[in-house]
Amino acid sequence: MRLPIFPMIILIAFNLLVDGYIWAVLRRVVKSRGVSRAYLVSSLLLIVYAAVIVALPRRRGGDSLLLADMWMLYSYFTVYVPKLVFVAVSLFAWLPLLWKRMVSRTVLRIGVLLAFATFVVMWWGALVNRTRIDVSDVVVYSENLPESFDGYTIVQFSDFHVGTYGNDTTFVSEVVDTINGLHPDIIFFTGDIVNRRTDELTPFVAPLSRLSAPDGVVSIMGNHDYGDYREWPSPQAKSDNLRRMHYMQAEMGWRLLLNSSEWLRRGSDSIAVVGVENWGDPPFTVYGDLRKAYPAPGDSIFKILLTHNPAHWVAEVADTDSVNIPLSLSGHTHAMQIEVGGWSPAKYRYPTWGGLYADSDSTHLLYVNIGVGAVALPMRIGATPEITRITLRRGPASLSSPSRSHTRQNNQ
C-alpha cells in the first residue's frame, strides 16, 4: 500500500500545533501536572488515529471500509473542530497580559463551553438531524404552463447516497413512506443514488420499488453514479457497473433518462421532461448533453429539465434566449450538509446551492434540492434531509434575479 506521506505530514503538523498550544494553556492554568500529561498522551494517540484514517485505501476498499472511514474521519473532526473553537476564543484570554500579569480565566471558561457546545452540535448533526426529514413546499408559476397541468404536483428528492446506510433500510423506507404520503402526480429523482458503485443499491431495491405516483418515477444520473470515485480492476468492470446501474433502476420501476426526454400528457395538453446526464465538475467528465436530450430546446413546449449539477443551469439555461425551459430541477450541493439561518458554506462554491432561483427576467427557474443523504461525512448540521413538493401553477413567475425561497415543513 502506498502511504499518502504529504497529507500525513500536514495533518500531524496541524495536530501538534493545536495540541501543543492547548497543552501549554493547561500547564499555565491547571496546577495538577497529571492533567497536562494525560492531555499529552491523548494527543499522541489521536495523531496515530489520524494517520490511520489518512492511510485507509478509500478508492480501493470495500463498502464496510468506506463506512468505517467516514465515521472515523467524522469522529476526528468532532474532536479537533471544538479544539479549534477553544483556541480561537482563548487567544483573547491573553490580552490582559498587556496591562496586568494574568490570563483571563473567564475567557478560557467561555472557550471550553463553546468547544463543548460545538462537540454536541456536531454529534447531534450525525445522530439526530441526519435523518430528520423535512418537506419543502414550493409553488412554481409559469405563464407557459398548459392549462391541464395547472395544479400538477411533483415530488423531487435527490442525492440519496444509500451506501452510507450499509444494509439498514430504515431511513430509506421512511423517505419512501413520506414521499408516497404526499400523493404527487409524478416523482423525480435528480441523481447520486450511490456513493461509489452500483452494488450499494442492492439492499434498497425493495423499499425504493414501493415509490408510487400516477405518472411514475423518473430519474437521472449524478456524479457518484458512474463509478468515477472508485478504482476498478479494468475498464470492463467499470462499464459493467454502469450497466448494472441502468438495470437496477429499471428493476425498481424507475424511468432513467440518459440524455433523453419523455412526454407527460393531460387530455390534449402535454409537457416534456428532459433528463440530461451529469454535468461534471473538473476533473470529472461532462456526460450531459442538453441538445441530445432535447434537440430543439428553444421551441414553445413547456419543459422541465432534470440536471444533477446546478452549474449546468447557470452555464446553458439561465439568461439564454435560445433555450425555453421554464423549470429546471437539480441537486448535488447538499448545502455542504451545513445550513444555519439560511446561510451555507455551499454559497462560496455554488451561487445556486439550495432553494428556488430565477434568472434576470424570471423566464428560467431553478430549484435545487439539498438532498436526503450524506456523503464523506455522516452528518447534517441544519441542512435537514429534503423532500420537495412542487406545485405547478399558471401565472407570471414571481422571482427576480437572483433569489432563493425555501419554506420547510418539518415531517417529524
Side-chain angles (χ1 to χ4, degrees):
M1 179 177 64
R2 184 178 179 182
L3 294 178
I5 300 299
F6 184 70
M8 280 190 180
I9 292 173
I10 296 296
L11 192 60
I12 290 170
F14 167 78
N15 284 21
L16 289 173
L17 285 172
V18 172
D19 287 324
Y21 172 82
I22 296 176
W23 177 78
V25 171
L26 289 172
R27 293 268 297 179
R28 185 180 183 97
V29 303
V30 179
K31 292 182 179 179
S32 172
R33 288 292 177 260
V35 173
S36 58
R37 291 192 189 102
Y39 184 83
L40 183 61
V41 171
S42 69
S43 299
L44 293 173
L45 291 174
L46 281 168
I47 287 176
V48 175
Y49 180 75
V52 171
I53 295 172
V54 173
L56 288 174
R58 291 169 181 78
R59 293 179 65 89
R60 299 190 304 276
D63 295 337
S64 297
L65 181 61
L66 178 65
L67 285 175
D69 181 49
M70 288 173 62
W71 283 102
M72 289 173 67
L73 183 63
Y74 189 66
S75 298
Y76 169 83
F77 282 135
T78 63
V79 172
Y80 274 91
V81 171
K83 284 185 178 184
L84 284 173
V85 170
F86 172 78
V87 169
V89 174
S90 70
L91 291 175
F92 293 95
W94 302 100
L95 291 178
L97 289 175
L98 297 175
W99 61 87
K100 55 183 178 180
R101 300 183 64 181
M102 64 179 297
V103 176
S104 173
R105 292 176 178 266
T106 299
V107 174
L108 292 177
R109 292 188 187 101
I110 292 172
V112 170
L113 289 173
L114 289 176
F116 179 73
T118 301
F119 179 84
V120 170
V121 167
M122 291 183 73
W123 278 108
W124 170 80
L127 301 178
V128 178
N129 202 59
R130 182 172 62 99
T131 56
R132 192 173 65 87
I133 301 168
D134 274 355
V135 175
S136 300
D137 271 306
V138 178
V139 180
V140 170
Y141 291 90
S142 175
E143 293 177 320
N144 297 323
L145 181 70
E147 186 174 350
S148 297
F149 284 89
D150 190 13
Y152 191 82
T153 57
I154 297 164
V155 162
Q156 179 198 6
F157 70 118
S158 192
D159 297 86
F160 221 145
H161 296 280
V162 294
T164 303
Y165 310 108
N167 295 315
D168 186 354
T169 62
T170 305
F171 178 63
V172 174
S173 296
E174 184 181 352
V175 170
V176 169
D177 291 339
T178 301
I179 292 173
N180 287 342
L182 297 174
H183 306 292
D185 292 304
I186 196 167
I187 299 168
F188 291 145
F189 178 74
T190 45
D192 274 4
I193 198 163
V194 298
N195 289 330
R196 299 184 304 166
R197 63 191 188 98
T198 299
D199 284 349
E200 297 169 22
L201 186 55
T202 302
F204 307 100
V205 168
L208 290 171
S209 298
R210 294 194 295 107
L211 284 171
S212 177
D215 288 331
V217 182
V218 178
S219 62
I220 57 171
M221 299 278 283
N223 52 301
H224 283 262
D225 297 329
Y226 294 88
D228 290 341
Y229 291 83
R230 180 181 174 86
E231 292 182 4
W232 298 94
S234 67
Q236 183 62 47
K238 185 177 181 181
S239 296
D240 291 343
N241 175 76
L242 186 58
R243 279 193 292 271
R244 184 162 172 76
M245 171 63 69
H246 298 169
Y247 170 78
M248 291 185 76
Q249 292 210 30
E251 187 180 10
M252 295 188 305
W254 296 15
R255 304 192 302 279
L256 179 61
L257 299 182
L258 301 167
N259 288 329
S260 59
S261 303
E262 66 168 44
W263 296 89
L264 304 176
R265 305 186 188 278
R266 289 287 185 275
S268 60
D269 291 331
S270 60
I271 63 177
V273 178
V274 182
V276 298
E277 297 197 52
N278 184 57
W279 185 271
D281 289 323
F284 297 105
T285 303
V286 173
Y287 297 100
D289 188 333
L290 177 57
R291 279 162 178 78
K292 180 180 178 182
Y294 195 93
D299 67 18
S300 61
I301 300 296
F302 185 91
K303 294 175 283 296
I304 300 172
L305 173 64
L306 308 182
T307 180
H308 178 67
N309 190 331
H312 181 211
W313 180 81
V314 173
E316 288 201 333
V317 179
D319 294 310
T320 303
D321 293 337
S322 61
V323 174
N324 176 29
I325 299 179
L327 176 62
S328 299
L329 303 177
S330 294
H332 184 60
T333 72
H334 295 221
M336 289 188 178
Q337 294 165 207
I338 301 174
E339 183 182 359
V340 180
W343 174 88
S344 168
K347 68 178 291 184
Y348 303 112
R349 176 65 181 86
Y350 295 98
T352 51
W353 60 267
L356 187 62
Y357 298 86
D359 61 357
S360 57
D361 60 3
S362 296
T363 58
H364 305 94
L365 301 180
L366 167 71
Y367 192 86
V368 181
N369 177 290
I370 64 171
V372 291
V375 69
L377 299 177
M379 62 81 184
R380 280 181 173 265
I381 298 173
T384 42
E386 179 183 13
I387 295 169
T388 312
R389 175 168 52 191
I390 300 169
T391 303
L392 303 181
R393 292 291 185 187
R394 283 173 60 86
S398 58
L399 292 179
S400 58
S401 174
S403 58
R404 179 175 184 268
S405 173
H406 216 172
T407 302
R408 294 284 187 91
Q409 171 191 326
N410 188 268
N411 194 54
Q412 279 207 310

